[in-house]
């Protein structure tokens, strides 16, 4: 693993997040934006048709994963035929080494980055910087967090946790070549300033790194889907273009990409289509006046082939739209950084243990109420709660479940499996609790239940159990 | 078409059994009004969801078998809970491998297991309930009932038939933060979530906050009382059965 | 062992536990023969040109119609004037542009530069489904013009507007086009990364105007 996680400290992270007033403001201001926009886009298309496309997208990706070796070979052949190079990276470290080699051969001092989560997963920025190459994030959100020395807190809105005054402060600190007394009040002035600063950087870099939303097996094209246009400038202007993509990004044909595109933006931002959807193949041709002279694809595995054939395979259908994150009440409460690694929210809670190990990432699949909202909006119909439960099963099998919880479960199971004992035990407990609490109707504190009573009362039981009253002949 | 007087087994659920028997009696009343013959199998304890969701498949399976044996002989199994209902109707079959005879029995039980408002509306074709409760309420859609069992319109339809006005809250479909063991494993997050929920509920100005799951209700009632918010928290069946004379959840008996 | 071999061997070993390699190849062949999924009704509307214009405008582009390519210089000059832009345009070597009388407009041919107030491209196709322009890279229409122009003008033949993506891909194949880059453009550049408020013109064009010919 190359990117240090703070996932084992998830609980502490969430406590800090809840106390972080700026973060809470940012989360509150955005919580209904994405949700409302997705719902409107779905309505606009027609619910039945949208749901049909979700089925088709799921089936398409299932087909691709079931035949992934054949499609990968086809893709590789097509990239080669168009003059590009495919580099296979088994691990994040392999990907780092490959990217550095390409940058060194290009004699790169500066590398422009389009937004890529695979690069985050591989820790490319820190690695390049350690090796004397300057990575410049060009997605506006990524740029803001790079200035802040942070990682993205959301896969499609990386700076969603940053408030406008914080952006203003960062720009004043970073853009020292500009007039110190300039007016930065309006959002438009902030955008214009970033646009100006980054525009120059596009022309400085020798290498541009982007991700890929899809890789087309039939044609060997990589697809990026963006709204800003930074990804296109990052891949068109430098002499060398590196695509970093994980190997499950394959789709068979151009027509198939249409199916994914039809659910992607609608699920992500509620747009019918993102502004720029770009299909790229190989380096610039003899007659092309622009475009990169070299085109490299780094195909990352990093644990994904280990997921194939397991109960976690469905996760590889994920197209990184962020809908599960946008709809997750836990994410909406604590934000993305609390998750402690690259991928937050429900998709992160399933993927993180797969990629960094359940020992390290096991907190995440536990931090869910299984409310199911993520699965209900996932365009690829990934059963996220079910897979989180599978992680809990793995933890239970590996004895990683906390001992208090394990012991409690065991004791409870012993009783629950013996109805007569259960009757006696629950009745005794409830009668006692009822006697204590019936007058007020609730408890402000209870032994062993401080987690509950820290923030809320515990309603008292009414008195005798239902089963005992029923048996005694009570009827409504 | 269901049989005219179906033999219905009531699964009270552990929380109703222990904390709020009146929900069990209200359920019985509604079922009887709908013409059902009520049975309460002795061997019921818990549906096994805590084990299943904690990754303890073996215990979950053991408990599922116990429930299957106790309930499979009836025409229907009905629960005053979408959460426990979904465990039986959706999770039990998934607990057993294809080809395991228990899988077939689990699937058979799953097919005839229903949450109470869904059973009354979708199976028994109940259009109106007997009670008249002209009150203003708001309704929290508990997650499993809503998303696993499709319970959304049914309680609202029955409430309307009882003369209840429902004023919808913001984010009625967002989790209240209970989540079974979640609320004690992650109390800070849970507390923040239930705070949002109770804030949204009270913002409607409704007199009552209703839902179909006692776990969520205890969570919301506990938060409302801690924060001194004046809203009566009840299980939807209490209102539908006209049994609102008992103290609300978390309210004292004086 | 190379990374490639390691990955492919692991993958093949796992997938072999299901269908065999030959069966997988057959499944792939069958799929490639009949690719794609359901085509939604927004991609099947009879009036493709009307739907294209309506949806491009919804995506914050502006659109005007001209009768023929000969009308382009005048229409473009007017648009530039209305936008308070200098009477100058940067475009590629597309034959359509070469044959036009640009009148008083200052034109230059080439790729995008660091400051480009206005650029012009000819789109190969339009897609009614989402009001999307489809551009093919090359000397005729360099890809950087699409992203570096502060205002980007696109000219598009009404006859090249297709109902859905599938129709557009079929037309691209039929035309024998295999450009290095295919750019689908739906409205001007935008970002909500500052304060989650949507603003136009993040890195790419602040404005996109489409001239539909015919």
């Amino acid at each position: 693993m190359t990117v240090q996680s703070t996932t084992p400290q998830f609980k502490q992270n969430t406590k800090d997040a809840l106390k972080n007033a700026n973060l809470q403001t940012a989360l509150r201001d955005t919580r209904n934006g994405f949700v409302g926009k997705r719902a409107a886009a779905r309505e606009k298309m027609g619910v039945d048709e949208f749901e049909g496309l979700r089925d088709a997208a799921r089936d398409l990706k299932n087909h691709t994963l079931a035949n992934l070796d054949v499609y990968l070979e086809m893709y590789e052949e097509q990239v080669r035929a168009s003059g590009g190079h495919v580099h296979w990276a088994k691990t994040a470290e392999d990907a780092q080494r490959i990217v550095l080699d390409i940058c060194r051969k290009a004699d790169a001092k500066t590398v422009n980055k389009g937004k890529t989560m695979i690069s985050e997963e591989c820790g490319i920025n820190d690695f390049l910087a350690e090796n004397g190459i300057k990575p410049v994030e060009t997605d506006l959100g990524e740029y803001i967090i790079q200035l802040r020395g942070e990682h993205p807190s959301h896969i499609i809105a990386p700076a969603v946790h940053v408030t406008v005054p914080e952006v203003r402060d960062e720009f004043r600190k970073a853009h020292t070549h500009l007039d110190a007394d300039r007016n930065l009040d309006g959002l438009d002035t902030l955008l214009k300033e970033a646009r100006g600063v980054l525009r120059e950087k596009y022309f400085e870099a020798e290498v541009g790194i982007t991700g890929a939303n899809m890789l087309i097996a039939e044609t060997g094209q990589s697809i990026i889907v963006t709204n800003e246009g930074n990804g296109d400038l990052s891949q068109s202007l430098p002499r060398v273009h590196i695509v970093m993509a994980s190997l499950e990004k394959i789709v068979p044909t151009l027509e198939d990409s249409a199916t994914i595109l039809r659910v992607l933006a609608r699920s992500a931002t509620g747009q019918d289509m993102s502004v720029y959807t770009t299909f790229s193949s190989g380096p610039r041709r003899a007659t092309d006046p622009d475009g990169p002279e070299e085109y490299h694809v780094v195909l990352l595995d990093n644990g994904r082939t280990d997921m194939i054939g397991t109960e976690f395979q469905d996760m590889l259908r994920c197209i990184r739209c962020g809908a599960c994150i946008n709809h997750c009440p836990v994410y909406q409460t604590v934000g993305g950084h609390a998750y402690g690694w690259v991928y937050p929210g429900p998709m992160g809670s399933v993927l993180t243990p797969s990629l960094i190990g359940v020992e390290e990432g096991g907190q995440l699949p536990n931090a869910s109420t299984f409310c199911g909202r993520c699965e209900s909006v996932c365009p690829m119909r990934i059963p996220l709660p079910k897979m989180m439960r599978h992680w809990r099963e793995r933890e239970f099998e590996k004895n990683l479940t906390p001992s208090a919880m394990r012991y409690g479960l065991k004791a409870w199971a012993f009783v629950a499996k013996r109805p007569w004992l259960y009757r006696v035990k629950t009745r005794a407990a409830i009668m006692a609790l009822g006697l204590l609490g019936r007058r007020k109707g609730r408890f402000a504190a209870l032994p062993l239940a401080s987690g509950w009573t820290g923030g809320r009362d515990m309603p008292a039981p009414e008195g005798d159990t239902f089963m005992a009253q029923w048996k005694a002949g009570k009827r409504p | 078409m269901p049989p005219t007087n179906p033999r219905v087994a009531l699964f009270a659920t552990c929380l109703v059994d222990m904390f709020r028997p009146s929900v069990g009696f209200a359920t019985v009343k509604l079922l009887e009004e709908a013409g059902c013959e009520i049975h309460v199998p002795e061997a019921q304890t818990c549906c096994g969801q805590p084990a299943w969701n904690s990754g303890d498949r073996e215990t979950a399976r053991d408990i599922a078998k116990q429930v299957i044996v106790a309930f499979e002989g009836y025409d229907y199994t009905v629960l005053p809970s979408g959460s426990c209902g979904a465990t039986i109707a959706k999770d039990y079959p998934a607990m057993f491998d294809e080809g395991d005879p228990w899988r077939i029995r689990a699937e058979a039980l799953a097919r005839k297991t229903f949450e109470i408002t869904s059973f009354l509306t979708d199976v028994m074709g109940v259009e109106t309930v007997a009670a008249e409760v002209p009150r203003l309420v708001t309704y929290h859609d508990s997650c499993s009932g809503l998303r696993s069992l499709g319970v959304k319109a049914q309680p609202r339809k029955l409430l309307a038939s009882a003369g209840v006005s429902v004023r919808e809250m913001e984010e009625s479909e967002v989790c209240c933060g209970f989540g079974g063991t979640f609320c004690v494993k992650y109390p800070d997050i849970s507390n923040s979530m239930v705070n949002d929920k109770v804030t949204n509920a009270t913002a409607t100005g409704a007199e009552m906050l209703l839902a179909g799951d006692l776990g969520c209700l205890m969570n919301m009632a506990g938060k409302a009382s801690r924060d001194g918010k004046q809203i009566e928290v009840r299980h939807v069946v209490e209102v539908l059965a006209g049994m609102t004379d008992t103290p609300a959840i978390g309210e004292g008996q004086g | 062992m190379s990374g490639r071999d390691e990955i492919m061997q692991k993958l093949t070993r796992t997938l072999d536990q299901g269908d065999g390699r030959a069966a997988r190849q057959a499944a792939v062949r069958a799929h490639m023969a009949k690719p794609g999924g359901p085509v939604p009704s927004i991609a099947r509307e009879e009036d493709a040109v009307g739907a294209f214009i309506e949806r491009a405008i919804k995506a914050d582009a502006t659109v005007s119609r001209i009768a023929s390519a000969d009308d382009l210089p005048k229409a473009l000059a007017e648009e530039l004037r209305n936008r308070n832009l200098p009477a100058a345009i940067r475009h590629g070597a597309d034959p359509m542009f070469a044959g036009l009388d640009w009148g008083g407009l200052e034109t230059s041919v080439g790729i995008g530069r660091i400051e480009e107030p206005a650029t012009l491209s000819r789109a190969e196709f339009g897609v009614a489904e989402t009001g999307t322009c489809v551009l093919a890279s090359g000397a005729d229409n360099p890809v950087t013009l699409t992203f570096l122009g502060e205002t980007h003008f696109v000219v598009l033949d009404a006859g090249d507007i297709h109902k859905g993506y599938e129709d557009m891909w079929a037309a691209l194949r039929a035309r024998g086009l295999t450009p290095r880059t295919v750019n689908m453009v739906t409205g001007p550049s935008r970002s909500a990364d500052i304060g989650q408020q949507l603003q136009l013109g993040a890195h790419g064009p602040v404005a996109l105007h489409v001239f539909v010919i015919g």
Side-chain angles (χ1 to χ4, degrees), chain C residues 22-35:
Chain C
R24 291 203 295 283
Q25 283 166 328
V28 167
R29 271 195 304 275
H31 180 86
M32 302 295 281
K34 214 172 167 279

Side-chain angles (χ1 to χ4, degrees), chain A residues 11 15 31-32 363 371 389 392 416-417 422-423 438-439 442 444 451 453 455-457 462 466-467, chain B residues 14 17 21-22 42 44-45 52-53 66 147 171 185-186 188 190 219 222-223 225-226 250 252-253:
Chain A
K11 264 192 188 177
K15 283 183 203 292
R31 77 183 268 158
N32 288 323
Q363 282 270 345
C371 81
R389 212 191 53 246
R392 298 184 191 183
K417 286 194 252 184
Y422 182 90
R423 290 280 94 76
R438 204 171 312 156
R439 203 179 55 79
R442 56 187 177 263
T453 54
R456 67 212 122 180
D457 295 336
E462 288 179 315
F466 173 79
M467 294 303 284
Chain B
C14 51
D17 178 40
S22 50
E42 259 290 296
Q44 60 180 288
T45 60
W52 178 241
N53 283 348
Q66 179 177 297
R147 281 180 273 267
E171 302 194 326
K185 277 193 293 184
Y186 300 96
D188 300 317
S190 172
N219 186 35
K223 187 65 189 172
S225 73
R226 172 65 57 91
Q253 297 181 350

Side-chain angles (χ1 to χ4, degrees), chain A residues 10-11 14-15 18 24 28 31-32 35 327 329-330 332-334 362-374 376 386 389-390 392-394 396-397 401-402 405 409-410 412-420 422-423 426-427 429-430 433 437-445 448-471 473-476, chain B residues 10 12-26 28-29 32 38-46 48-59 62-63 66 91 94 143-144 147 170-171 173-196 200 215 217-227 243 246-247 249-254:
Chain A
F10 176 77
K11 264 192 188 177
T14 63
K15 283 183 203 292
L18 283 163
Q24 289 300 321
R28 219 150 276 281
R31 77 183 268 158
N32 288 323
V35 171
H327 288 77
V330 173
Q332 288 177 336
T333 304
V334 300
Q363 282 270 345
L364 302 187
N366 281 286
S368 165
T369 64
F370 284 163
C371 81
R373 208 174 176 212
C374 48
S376 76
K386 184 173 112 180
R389 212 191 53 246
H390 285 323
R392 298 184 191 183
E393 285 164 4
R394 293 263 181 115
F396 193 85
E397 284 155 19
T401 313
M405 167 116 176
L409 259 176
K410 248 194 187 137
W412 164 85
F414 183 85
V415 180
K417 286 194 252 184
R418 291 163 180 79
W420 59 272
Y422 182 90
R423 290 280 94 76
T426 51
R427 193 172 182 209
I430 275 338
L433 207 55
R438 204 171 312 156
R439 203 179 55 79
K440 279 197 76 175
R442 56 187 177 263
F443 302 95
L448 301 175
S450 61
W452 178 289
T453 54
R456 67 212 122 180
D457 295 336
M458 171 65 91
E462 288 179 315
D464 206 348
T465 64
F466 173 79
M467 294 303 284
Q469 295 186 59
W470 180 264
K471 203 170 179 197
K474 182 175 172 186
R475 294 295 178 268
Chain B
L10 173 69
T13 76
C14 51
L15 285 179
V16 165
D17 178 40
M18 291 191 278
F19 282 86
R20 200 146 177 93
S22 50
V23 170
F25 289 112
V28 168
K29 188 168 175 219
E32 279 176 342
I38 316 295
H39 299 262
V40 181
E42 259 290 296
Q44 60 180 288
T45 60
C46 165
Q49 190 191 102
W52 178 241
N53 283 348
S54 300
D56 182 356
R57 293 179 68 105
E58 201 186 313
T59 301
D62 287 348
I63 294 176
Q66 179 177 297
D91 294 337
C143 299
S144 297
R147 281 180 273 267
E170 288 286 310
E171 302 194 326
E173 296 188 357
V174 173
C175 181
C176 71
F178 173 64
T181 54
F182 175 85
C183 65
V184 285
K185 277 193 293 184
Y186 300 96
D188 300 317
I189 307 175
S190 172
N191 186 46
S192 175
M193 287 165 70
V194 71
N195 183 52
D196 291 342
N200 283 331
L217 287 161
M218 288 174 64
N219 186 35
M220 297 185 294
K223 187 65 189 172
S225 73
R226 172 65 57 91
D227 291 354
M243 293 166 63
T246 52
I249 300 167
E251 218 171 71
Q253 297 181 350

Side-chain angles (χ1 to χ4, degrees), chain B residues 129-235:
Chain B
V129 294
E132 265 299 324
V133 189
R135 302 276 300 268
L136 176 64
V137 312
T138 192
Y139 197 88
H140 164 66
D141 294 290
S142 295
C143 299
S144 297
L146 174 71
R147 281 180 273 267
S148 296
L149 302 177
V151 177
K152 171 91 188 176
Q154 301 91 329
R156 287 172 175 76
K157 184 177 159 189
L158 295 174
L159 284 168
S161 82
V164 180
S165 317
V166 179
R167 188 177 290 165
E168 297 294 344
M169 69 175 102
E170 288 286 310
E171 302 194 326
S172 72
E173 296 188 357
V174 173
C175 181
C176 71
F178 173 64
T181 54
F182 175 85
C183 65
V184 285
K185 277 193 293 184
Y186 300 96
D188 300 317
I189 307 175
S190 172
N191 186 46
S192 175
M193 287 165 70
V194 71
N195 183 52
D196 291 342
K197 177 56 68 179
V198 170
T199 304
N200 283 331
T202 47
T204 62
E207 306 160 64
M208 268 192 223
L209 166 57
L210 306 181
D213 268 281
L214 195 53
C216 316
L217 287 161
M218 288 174 64
N219 186 35
M220 297 185 294
K223 187 65 189 172
S225 73
R226 172 65 57 91
D227 291 354
K229 295 210 164 115
Q230 295 304 315
I231 193 160
E232 215 177 298
V233 182
R234 289 187 186 277
H235 195 289

Side-chain angles (χ1 to χ4, degrees), chain C residues 86-121:
Chain C
I89 196 80
R90 178 88 165 168
H91 60 72
D94 198 287
M96 178 196 272
F97 305 145
L100 292 175
D101 173 9
W102 291 99
L105 271 186
E106 182 192 325
T107 64
S108 65
V109 176
I111 62 172
R113 295 159 302 185
I114 192 160
E115 288 200 26
E116 293 288 3
T119 55
L120 172 68
S121 310

